[in-house]
Coordinates of all heavy atoms in Angstrom, one line a residue:
E13 N 29.2 43.5 -188.8 CA 27.9 44.1 -189.2 C 27.9 44.5 -190.6 O 26.9 44.4 -191.3 CB 27.7 45.4 -188.3 CG 27.4 45.1 -186.8 CD 27.3 46.4 -186.0 OE1 27.4 47.5 -186.6 OE2 27.1 46.3 -184.8
N14 N 29.1 44.9 -191.2 CA 29.2 45.3 -192.6 C 28.9 44.1 -193.4 O 28.2 44.1 -194.4 CB 30.7 45.8 -192.9 CG 31.0 47.1 -192.2 OD1 30.1 47.7 -191.7 ND2 32.2 47.5 -192.2
A15 N 29.5 42.9 -193.0 CA 29.3 41.7 -193.8 C 27.8 41.3 -193.8 O 27.3 40.8 -194.8 CB 30.2 40.5 -193.2
S16 N 27.2 41.5 -192.6 CA 25.8 41.1 -192.5 C 24.9 42.0 -193.4 O 24.0 41.6 -194.0 CB 25.4 41.2 -191.0 OG 24.0 41.0 -190.9
I17 N 25.2 43.3 -193.4 CA 24.5 44.3 -194.2 C 24.6 43.9 -195.6 O 23.6 43.9 -196.4 CB 24.9 45.7 -193.9 CG1 24.5 46.1 -192.5 CG2 24.3 46.7 -194.9 CD1 25.1 47.4 -192.0
M18 N 25.8 43.6 -196.1 CA 26.0 43.3 -197.5 C 25.3 42.1 -197.9 O 24.8 42.0 -199.0 CB 27.6 43.2 -197.8 CG 27.9 43.0 -199.2 SD 27.2 44.2 -200.4 CE 28.1 45.6 -199.9
Q19 N 25.3 41.1 -197.0 CA 24.6 39.8 -197.3 C 23.1 40.1 -197.5 O 22.5 39.5 -198.4 CB 24.9 38.8 -196.1 CG 24.3 37.4 -196.4 CD 24.7 36.4 -195.4 OE1 25.4 36.8 -194.4 NE2 24.4 35.2 -195.6
K20 N 22.6 40.9 -196.6 CA 21.1 41.2 -196.7 C 20.8 42.0 -198.0 O 19.8 41.7 -198.7 CB 20.7 42.1 -195.5 CG 20.7 41.3 -194.2 CD 20.3 42.3 -193.1 CE 20.2 41.5 -191.7 NZ 19.9 42.5 -190.6
R21 N 21.7 42.9 -198.4 CA 21.5 43.7 -199.6 C 21.6 42.7 -200.8 O 20.8 42.8 -201.7 CB 22.6 44.7 -199.8 CG 22.5 45.9 -198.9 CD 23.5 47.0 -199.1 NE 23.2 47.6 -200.5 CZ 23.9 47.4 -201.6 NH1 25.0 46.6 -201.5 NH2 23.6 48.0 -202.7
L22 N 22.6 41.8 -200.8 CA 22.7 40.9 -201.9 C 21.5 39.9 -202.0 O 21.0 39.5 -203.0 CB 24.0 40.2 -201.9 CG 25.3 41.0 -202.1 CD1 26.5 40.2 -201.9 CD2 25.2 41.6 -203.5
G23 N 21.1 39.5 -200.7 CA 19.9 38.7 -200.7 C 18.7 39.3 -201.2 O 17.9 38.7 -201.9
G24 N 18.5 40.6 -200.9 CA 17.4 41.4 -201.4 C 17.4 41.5 -202.9 O 16.4 41.5 -203.6
M25 N 18.7 41.7 -203.5 CA 18.8 41.8 -204.9 C 18.4 40.6 -205.6 O 18.0 40.6 -206.8 CB 20.3 42.2 -205.2 CG 20.6 43.6 -204.8 SD 22.4 43.9 -204.9 CE 22.6 43.8 -206.7
S26 N 18.6 39.4 -205.0 CA 18.2 38.1 -205.6 C 16.7 37.9 -205.6 O 16.2 36.8 -206.0 CB 19.0 37.0 -204.9 OG 18.5 36.8 -203.6
G27 N 16.0 38.8 -204.9 CA 14.5 38.7 -204.8 C 14.0 37.7 -203.8 O 12.9 37.2 -203.8
G28 N 15.0 37.2 -203.0 CA 14.6 36.2 -201.9 C 14.3 34.9 -202.5 O 13.6 34.0 -201.9
S29 N 14.8 34.6 -203.8 CA 14.5 33.3 -204.4 C 15.1 32.2 -203.7 O 16.3 32.2 -203.3 CB 15.0 33.4 -205.9 OG 14.9 32.1 -206.5
Q30 N 14.4 31.1 -203.6 CA 14.9 29.9 -202.9 C 15.8 29.1 -203.9 O 16.4 28.1 -203.5 CB 13.7 29.0 -202.5 CG 12.8 29.6 -201.5 CD 13.6 30.0 -200.2 OE1 14.4 29.2 -199.7 NE2 13.3 31.2 -199.7
E31 N 15.8 29.5 -205.2 CA 16.7 28.8 -206.1 C 18.1 29.1 -205.9 O 19.0 28.4 -206.4 CB 16.2 29.1 -207.6 CG 14.8 28.7 -207.9 CD 14.4 29.1 -209.3 OE1 15.3 29.6 -210.0 OE2 13.3 28.9 -209.7
H32 N 18.4 30.1 -205.2 CA 19.8 30.5 -205.0 C 20.0 30.7 -203.5 O 20.1 31.8 -203.0 CB 20.1 31.9 -205.7 CG 19.8 31.8 -207.2 ND1 20.7 31.2 -208.1 CD2 18.7 32.3 -207.9 CE1 20.1 31.3 -209.3 NE2 19.0 31.9 -209.2
P33 N 20.0 29.6 -202.7 CA 20.1 29.8 -201.3 C 21.5 30.3 -200.8 O 21.6 30.8 -199.7 CB 19.9 28.3 -200.8 CG 20.3 27.5 -202.0 CD 19.9 28.2 -203.2
R34 N 22.5 30.1 -201.7 CA 23.8 30.5 -201.3 C 24.2 31.8 -202.0 O 24.1 31.9 -203.2 CB 24.9 29.5 -201.6 CG 24.8 28.2 -200.7 CD 26.0 27.3 -201.0 NE 26.0 26.2 -200.1 CZ 27.0 25.3 -200.1 NH1 28.0 25.4 -200.9 NH2 26.9 24.3 -199.2
V35 N 24.6 32.8 -201.2 CA 25.0 34.1 -201.8 C 26.4 34.3 -201.3 O 26.7 34.3 -200.1 CB 24.1 35.2 -201.3 CG1 24.6 36.6 -201.8 CG2 22.6 35.0 -201.7
Q36 N 27.3 34.5 -202.3 CA 28.7 34.8 -201.9 C 28.8 36.2 -201.5 O 28.5 37.1 -202.3 CB 29.6 34.5 -203.1 CG 31.1 34.6 -202.8 CD 31.9 34.1 -203.9 OE1 31.4 33.6 -204.9 NE2 33.2 34.2 -203.8
V37 N 29.3 36.4 -200.3 CA 29.4 37.8 -199.8 C 30.8 38.3 -200.0 O 31.8 37.6 -199.7 CB 29.1 37.8 -198.2 CG1 29.2 39.2 -197.7 CG2 27.7 37.3 -198.0
K38 N 30.9 39.5 -200.5 CA 32.2 40.2 -200.7 C 32.7 40.7 -199.4 O 31.9 41.3 -198.6 CB 32.1 41.3 -201.7 CG 32.0 40.9 -203.2 CD 32.1 42.2 -204.0 CE 32.1 41.8 -205.5 NZ 32.2 43.0 -206.3
H39 N 34.0 40.6 -199.2 CA 34.6 41.3 -198.1 C 34.8 42.8 -198.5 O 34.9 43.1 -199.7 CB 36.0 40.7 -197.8 CG 35.9 39.3 -197.1 ND1 35.4 39.2 -195.9 CD2 36.1 38.1 -197.7 CE1 35.4 37.9 -195.6 NE2 35.9 37.2 -196.7
E40 N 34.8 43.6 -197.5 CA 34.8 45.1 -197.8 C 36.1 45.4 -198.6 O 36.1 46.3 -199.4 CB 34.8 45.9 -196.5 CG 34.6 47.4 -196.6 CD 34.4 48.1 -195.3 OE1 34.2 47.4 -194.3 OE2 34.3 49.3 -195.4

Side-chain angles (χ1 to χ4, degrees):
E13 292 177 2
N14 293 349
S16 176
I17 291 170
M18 182 54 69
Q19 187 172 4
K20 289 178 181 178
R21 288 185 68 252
L22 293 174
M25 291 171 61
S26 67
S29 172
Q30 297 300 317
E31 296 179 8
H32 304 282
R34 288 188 176 184
V35 178
Q36 186 173 355
V37 178
K38 282 187 177 182
H39 291 288
E40 191 171 352

